[in-house]
Amino acid sequence: RGRRRGWARPGPPCGLAAGRSYSGGGAYPSVSLTCPLPGVPKAVFAAAESRERFETRVTVLENGLRVASQNKFGQFCTVGILVNSGSRHEAKYLSGISHFLEKLAFSSTAQFGSKDEILLTLEKHGGICDCQASRDTIMYAVSADARGLDTVVNLLADVTLQPRLSDEEIEMTRMAIRFELEDLNMRPDPEPLLTEMIHAAAFRDNTVGLNRFCPVENTDKIDRAVLHSYLSSYYTPDRMVLAGVGIEHEQLVECARKYLLGVEPVWGSGRSRAVDRSVAQYTGGIVKVEKDMSDVSLGPTPIPELTHIMIGLESCSFLEDDFIPFAVLNMMMGGGGSFSAGGPGKGMFTRLYLNVLNRHHWMYNATSYHHSYEDTGLLCIHASADPKQVREMVEIITREFILMAGAVGEVELERAKTQLKSMLMMNLESRPVIFEDVGRQVLATNTRKLPHELCALISQVKPTDIKRVVTKMLHKKPAVAALGDLTDLPSYEHIQAALSSKDGRLPRLYRLFR
């Protein structure tokens, strides 16, 4: 009589719908949605276009300049010139040239009388410009309406190869750099300073260990002649990439031929000095800066006095296969500040949160960083705590380094891999990030690995890969950077001994008087 629970009544055959009616009384048309509608043409669905349209295209011009582009839908494009130049190439020059060039970018040129003129020209195409100098790359970039591509490439060529570098502009740059250096030492967040120190300790006096910021004593020594001498060596077409995102490749190549082929730079095209092709030499070591951090941030809620420590070990270059396992390891370590607000994707299940910040309430920060270059890399952990607990903090970090070589849980590894893929894909939704990725990869390798290829490589990482790269890394001497009150800082030899031990513990100290 009644239907049994869990049984489904069979539906009507194709073409017959159940006899239901509208609220007004009219009957539903007896047509089933599971069958094609009579008299309606078959639907044609949009299919994904061939992959070629989405691959990065690269063309090499006669003068050696590489032109790379990536298709992306939208009205705006990001175009820029990346130069294989930076502070790592300043060994034969005054330190700080790249810092000067970054600040002088988009100033007056042969065609444009002032920075304002450049900004007004870009404004007509809704454009903005930016220049960033790192240890190994200087990048000039413009985001603007794609219809203004010709104007944008002309502007970029002029800014890169025809800067005026007037005495007034150089003097203004000196003032800006002095202010930036002062600000760097007064800032509550010491991370940029610590990054400089750890590089100086890890690669003492060579390549990526050279100072990225201009030393105060060099600000008055750098002038137009010094800059031209450097530019003539490093701003050559074979060391440049013109990269674009959101434009047609043929159009970009045409503009490159028009404005970047056969152009005489303002410093002349005579014989340039030999380019520094030094390979990074990892030395390890310690850089200490004793500093009173008690008044860094005064006010109604002052930041307590903290001592900051960064410990690093040599990893690998981004051209090596081990780069992906190191990236997964860095994500697995994770970390952050003890006052970070939690939430999905925040990394609250990373090792530095679970093992360090959640267990030791007195630690203010524990974060993992991975810096990678074309010939070397550096994996480091930054930690900060009260000066009285420096020794304990150092031991906690050295123990975490040793534990990296231990068992890797399947769940934590999968979580780190998923988080890395998620971060990669989310970042690559931004047009300027795609531009930088295209430019840097083509500059280093002449090709570009697409996101799906990188995700496939990330998926292949196994616990044995993590153990292998960590074991190799732990055989190196550590690099240590320390900032603040360093009264209780263990000696470099003790830190090295802890990283060579089985449990990561510091050698015991025996004192007669405390």
Side-chain angles (χ1 to χ4, degrees):
R1 275 168 283 173
R3 284 190 298 134
R4 282 190 203 163
R5 189 176 292 167
W7 281 26
R9 181 182 289 164
C14 197
L16 297 173
R20 291 172 292 171
S21 57
Y22 292 114
S23 57
Y28 276 172
S30 58
V31 177
S32 168
L33 295 178
T34 58
C35 306
L37 298 174
V40 175
K42 194 175 177 184
V44 179
F45 296 100
E49 295 188 48
S50 60
R51 189 173 282 169
E52 286 79 55
R53 282 211 60 173
F54 304 101
E55 285 183 354
T56 304
R57 295 178 62 188
V58 182
T59 300
V60 183
L61 300 188
E62 292 83 343
N63 61 356
L65 178 90
R66 285 155 287 178
V67 181
S69 76
Q70 177 78 39
N71 225 334
K72 192 181 192 313
F73 301 108
Q75 186 184 345
F76 280 76
C77 66
T78 300
V79 183
I81 292 176
L82 290 93
V83 189
N84 185 359
S85 152
S87 58
R88 70 169 293 161
H89 299 289
E90 291 174 0
K92 297 177 185 172
Y93 297 86
L94 285 169
S95 176
I97 290 176
S98 300
H99 196 181
F100 260 78
L101 291 173
E102 178 186 37
K103 293 279 174 274
L104 283 162
F106 295 99
S107 296
S108 64
T109 67
Q111 284 182 49
F112 300 93
S114 67
K115 192 167 200 152
D116 290 345
E117 210 173 304
I118 287 175
L119 296 175
L120 283 168
T121 305
L122 284 174
E123 211 173 89
K124 290 172 190 168
H125 302 284
I128 53 169
C129 60
D130 184 32
C131 176
Q132 289 180 7
S134 63
R135 294 178 192 282
D136 53 1
T137 314
I138 295 183
M139 182 172 69
Y140 300 83
V142 170
S143 283
D145 192 304
R147 289 170 295 186
L149 181 67
D150 193 82
T151 308
V152 166
V153 177
N154 177 26
L155 170 69
L156 283 165
D158 217 42
V159 162
T160 314
L161 301 173
Q162 309 282 338
R164 281 191 190 164
L165 307 177
S166 69
D167 293 341
E168 188 187 348
E169 285 168 348
I170 290 173
E171 192 50 51
M172 287 291 285
T173 301
R174 286 182 183 133
M175 287 166 65
I177 286 174
R178 285 191 199 108
F179 174 78
E180 192 177 334
L181 294 173
E182 265 180 58
D183 177 58
L184 200 66
N185 288 312
M186 290 161 62
R187 214 181 283 180
D189 174 28
E191 204 264 318
L193 209 56
L194 280 165
T195 303
E196 283 304 301
M197 289 163 65
I198 197 83
H199 277 83
F203 306 94
R204 194 169 293 279
D205 298 330
N206 77 88
T207 58
V208 292
L210 299 175
N211 203 336
R212 195 166 70 85
F213 299 107
C214 180
V216 180
E217 62 272 16
N218 284 359
T219 50
D220 288 325
K221 296 176 189 172
I222 294 173
D223 56 18
R224 192 190 297 112
V226 171
L227 294 170
H228 277 185
S229 167
Y230 180 84
L231 290 165
S232 65
S233 291
Y234 290 96
Y235 276 45
T236 54
D238 58 307
R239 298 179 67 83
M240 292 183 182
V241 168
L242 173 68
V245 176
I247 30 88
E248 292 294 332
H249 186 70
E250 289 73 20
Q251 205 182 344
L252 187 63
V253 171
E254 190 186 319
C255 289
R257 288 187 183 282
K258 188 172 168 185
Y259 298 114
L260 288 158
L261 199 57
V263 177
E264 175 84 5
V266 72
W267 48 84
S269 54
R271 264 181 64 83
S272 63
R273 289 171 62 176
V275 168
D276 183 2
R277 300 189 192 279
S278 306
V279 175
Q281 302 297 314
Y282 181 81
T283 59
I286 186 165
V287 171
K288 298 190 283 188
V289 175
E290 285 267 5
K291 190 179 173 190
D292 179 13
M293 307 282 276
S294 58
D295 59 350
V296 163
S297 176
L298 299 172
T301 53
I303 293 175
E305 184 183 354
L306 298 173
T307 294
H308 301 270
I309 305 290
M310 206 180 252
I311 299 175
L313 290 160
E314 188 183 22
S315 58
C316 74
S317 131
F318 57 66
L319 301 174
E320 294 176 49
D321 292 339
D322 284 346
F323 172 64
I324 301 291
F326 269 116
V328 173
L329 171 66
N330 179 51
M331 197 53 81
M332 194 168 81
M333 297 309 294
S338 58
F339 296 111
S340 296
K346 190 74 193 0
M348 287 295 174
F349 289 95
T350 56
R351 283 193 181 186
L352 292 178
Y353 264 115
L354 292 176
N355 301 351
V356 178
L357 294 168
N358 290 0
R359 291 186 188 179
H360 307 283
H361 66 90
W362 44 268
M363 280 189 72
Y364 277 75
N365 191 314
T367 316
S368 174
Y369 295 97
H370 187 217
H371 305 279
S372 204
Y373 306 96
E374 63 181 350
D375 51 1
T376 188
L378 193 62
L379 183 88
C380 37
I381 295 176
H382 167 212
S384 52
D386 186 277
K388 295 183 187 69
Q389 286 164 308
V390 169
R391 186 179 173 81
E392 202 177 338
M393 169 171 70
V394 170
E395 187 169 83
I396 287 164
I397 298 307
T398 53
R399 277 164 58 193
E400 281 306 310
F401 269 111
I402 297 299
L403 287 170
M404 286 182 198
V408 177
E410 199 62 47
V411 174
E412 69 170 342
L413 182 64
E414 281 307 311
R415 186 186 284 121
K417 281 153 68 171
T418 305
Q419 202 171 347
L420 181 59
K421 285 187 272 191
S422 157
M423 194 179 78
L424 174 76
M425 300 310 274
M426 283 193 288
N427 284 340
L428 287 172
E429 284 184 13
S430 159
R431 194 182 58 251
V433 174
I434 301 173
F435 155 76
E436 191 173 340
D437 184 49
V438 169
R440 284 182 182 277
Q441 285 201 49
V442 172
L443 196 63
T445 64
N446 296 324
T447 58
R448 179 183 180 229
K449 272 198 177 94
L450 293 172
H452 67 86
E453 295 174 70
L454 292 168
C455 285
L457 291 170
I458 293 166
S459 298
Q460 289 165 18
V461 175
K462 298 181 180 67
T464 50
D465 296 323
I466 301 290
K467 192 164 185 175
R468 175 175 50 78
V469 298
V470 172
T471 306
K472 185 178 161 189
M473 178 177 75
L474 286 169
H475 283 121
K476 305 279 175 69
K477 284 174 67 178
V480 181
L483 177 70
D485 178 352
L486 310 178
T487 314
D488 292 339
L489 178 72
S491 69
Y492 178 75
E493 289 71 27
H494 279 192
I495 296 171
Q496 194 173 353
L499 288 167
S500 307
S501 67
K502 285 183 179 177
D503 57 3
R505 291 187 182 279
L506 290 164
R508 296 298 99 195
L509 282 181
Y510 300 101
R511 294 179 184 167
L512 289 172
F513 305 103
R514 286 195 176 273

